[in-house]
Amino acid sequence: MSATNTEAPAARAPKAAATTPVSRMAALARAELTLLGRSKGALVAGLFVPLVLPVSVRSAAEEMDLAEAGLTIGTLVLPAAIGFSLLFAVYSTLVGVFVVRREELVLKRLRTGELRDTEILAGSAMPAAATGLLQCLLLTAGCAVLLDLSAPSAPHLAVLGLLLGLVMCAALAAATSGFTRTGESAQVTPMPLLLVSMIGSGMFVPLELLPDKVASVCELLPLTPVVTLVRGGWTGDLSAYEALGAVATAVAWTAVAVFAVRRWFRWEPRR
Amino acid sequence: MEANGHEHVIEVTDLRRVYGGGFEAVRGISFSVRRGEIFALLGTNGAGKTSTVELLEGLAAPAGGRVRVLGHDPYTDRAAVRPRTGVMLQEGGFPSELTVAETARMWAGCVSGARPPAEVLALVGLESKGDVRVKQLSGGQRRRLDLALALLGDPEVLFLDEPTTGLDAEGRRDTWELVSALRAAGTTVLLTTHYLEEAEQLADRLAIMHDGRIAATGTPAEVTATQPSRITFELPEGYFVGDLPPLAELGVTGHETDGRIIRLRTRELQRAATGLLVWAERTGVELRRLDVRSASLEEAFLGIAKAVSGGKTAQTTKEYAA
């Protein structure tokens, strides 16, 4: 260790290369991507599960009267697959990321630097969100080839649903991490949303096949608007009013999550 | 800002910090640090050092009082302060699965005007550890990685929270050398430590914290000067304090007895020691376990801890004024 060549003043005078929000988030995201690749749990939950679960939806679909709901196997399985991807690759992976970084004091350390709080959250979330996006594209291609899915009638709705879903799931993950004490409990705290979404958001059973009263409650669940918009994007039978309602629901959940993050997100472990 | 021709880089006024449970960790402290100075916050664990430094780093808002770093509020005006400060937390804060080089590269991407990561790693002697995962580093190596990253942006102000805890003697000396070189280059350093030697070696000025307050502050020499020197010895059987020559005449300001052990306090060490030794020579008494020591930072430190924690030791030690 040599203490003589510190050369501080010379290098200090002009701050040659000032960082920008984008460059800072990119540096953080790159590190997080490396970490994602090294985490076995995140790889299984994020890559394997969303690619396998749709198969079970498919077998369930064979016992349903899809025609009554105006659906095909493809328009049932694809929205479900995208839902699984958002839930596992994005939401539950990110709960773990935020909690583990907090417990390792990484978030605290990052806050001592130039990164703003939102940049830390966004930069950390980016690799998982990108993985989720990539998966959704792969699943779409897969469904098109394997399940004879035709081209979407209203692709903009599907894209909108997917993007809303990514942002909402990342925000919900940050909110959930505020109520998660350790990396181990991060395996458990995402469960309520996972279960509620799988049962109530039209992933296994389309809302059209549920009793009206139950369906109208299920419409308000966080992941329902995503599934609705993606499915509507393919079937094309979503009215403007219904589409607007779905968007409003997703935006409202995102707003709730952002509020919860501002209120309850923890940047360091409890003392 | 200007005082005695020096710019105050850190100004702390009546600072308070209260935690969620109502515990008041910092109870109204004030100090300032001039540009190019090394200022040490010294104290036992729980004295409030880290709680204070975190407020200066802008990690939390104070419950009361004011902090200014480079003229800005470090909590509300992050964007103005952060590009000019470097921080080393008390404990790491790096993902354990990244390698040293990956960690440094990530951090360099978040620091304006960052030096090449390899250069700062070499500065702390980690140049050969680039491919090692952070989780495989020893505690001391992790401390040095943290120091390297704090130096990446050539900060004007450096906060070091216990920079040498966990380092071996050699690593500690290396860090001291590095910090001294930084000061020579004009960096302002605020460090916390519970190693008295570290404060004595490095600090231009220091403050001793106890129970969230500053108990003493000044240059190491000034703080030391507030403390008396000490002479300790054991009297043989049959001799008592009363047999010694009149203590006040030797310049002794106080004494304690603990069984046969006598402790004298004085501000005139040479006169008191001479008087005592001349008496011992004349009476043919052997003063066993004789220990003559001038005031040190350690004495000051222990004196403060003892003065505040009150008569806890009074049962075993009787204390009299001479």
Side-chain angles (χ1 to χ4, degrees), chain B:
Chain B
M1 289 290 278
E2 297 293 320
N4 309 324
H6 292 284
E7 182 193 349
H8 282 176
V9 167
I10 301 171
E11 286 178 289
V12 174
T13 317
D14 217 15
L15 190 64
R16 290 175 56 245
R17 181 166 189 186
V18 181
Y19 286 106
F23 172 66
E24 195 175 9
V26 181
R27 309 179 178 206
I29 64 170
S30 303
F31 62 88
S32 55
V33 182
R34 289 188 283 263
R35 186 172 287 279
E37 193 172 51
I38 298 184
F39 189 91
L41 281 177
L42 194 58
T44 50
N45 292 333
K49 305 185 298 287
T50 297
S51 296
T52 303
V53 177
E54 285 181 0
L55 295 179
L56 304 189
E57 292 161 352
L59 283 174
R66 210 177 90 125
V67 182
R68 287 293 176 272
V69 175
L70 296 161
H72 299 276
D73 182 325
Y75 183 72
T76 58
D77 209 357
R78 267 163 82 164
V81 179
R82 297 302 170 80
R84 301 166 69 186
T85 58
V87 170
M88 182 176 173
L89 293 177
Q90 189 171 48
E91 265 180 87
F94 303 112
S96 50
E97 296 292 344
L98 284 186
T99 67
V100 168
E102 287 164 347
T103 306
R105 190 174 57 206
M106 185 271 277
W107 202 254
C110 300
V111 170
S112 291
R115 304 159 72 167
E119 192 181 307
V120 289
L121 290 179
L123 215 53
V124 298
L126 286 179
E127 61 273 34
S128 62
K129 300 286 179 193
D131 295 329
V132 177
R133 299 260 172 110
V134 168
K135 66 176 175 189
Q136 287 158 342
L137 295 180
S138 71
Q141 288 168 334
R142 252 176 251 188
R143 286 279 65 194
R144 286 189 277 149
L145 173 62
D146 206 341
L147 179 60
L149 300 194
L151 298 176
L152 258 173
D154 274 322
E156 289 172 56
V157 184
L158 193 56
F159 295 102
L160 306 176
D161 198 352
E162 300 195 2
T164 60
T165 299
L167 293 186
D168 56 22
E170 194 193 342
R172 190 167 296 158
R173 251 193 313 277
D174 288 342
T175 299
W176 290 352
E177 251 176 60
L178 183 56
V179 173
S180 299
L182 289 167
R183 167 181 45 193
T187 309
T188 308
V189 182
L190 186 133
L191 68 90
T192 74
T193 182
H194 50 241
Y195 296 119
L196 298 150
E197 200 193 346
E198 187 161 299
E200 232 159 10
Q201 285 271 339
L202 283 180
D204 297 303
R205 289 191 305 127
L206 58 88
I208 299 181
M209 285 192 76
H210 192 87
D211 263 349
R213 294 190 178 84
I214 290 181
T217 184
T219 64
E222 284 165 0
V223 171
T224 306
T226 61
Q227 294 299 314
S229 304
R230 288 182 175 273
I231 304 172
T232 309
F233 53 89
E234 190 180 324
L235 276 177
E237 289 289 330
Y239 286 89
F240 299 93
V241 180
D243 299 324
L244 296 173
L247 291 175
E249 284 172 25
L250 299 180
V252 171
T253 55
H255 76 272
E256 296 154 31
T257 61
D258 183 3
R260 305 223 62 80
I261 305 280
I262 314 289
R263 284 191 205 93
L264 307 180
R265 292 191 297 275
T266 176
R267 295 188 182 280
E268 299 164 89
L269 185 57
Q270 184 179 343
R271 186 172 135 211
T274 309
L276 180 71
L277 292 175
V278 166
W279 170 81
E281 177 72 21
R282 281 193 189 140
T283 43
V285 166
E286 190 202 352
L287 299 176
R288 266 166 299 175
R289 298 164 71 177
L290 177 64
D291 182 18
V292 177
R293 64 173 62 194
S294 49
S296 67
L297 203 51
E298 187 179 2
E299 293 284 318
F301 188 68
L302 296 174
I304 283 158
K306 195 167 156 192
V308 182
S309 56
K312 277 179 194 164
T313 52
Q315 296 96 320
T316 51
T317 310
K318 293 176 209 152
E319 203 159 327
Y320 312 91

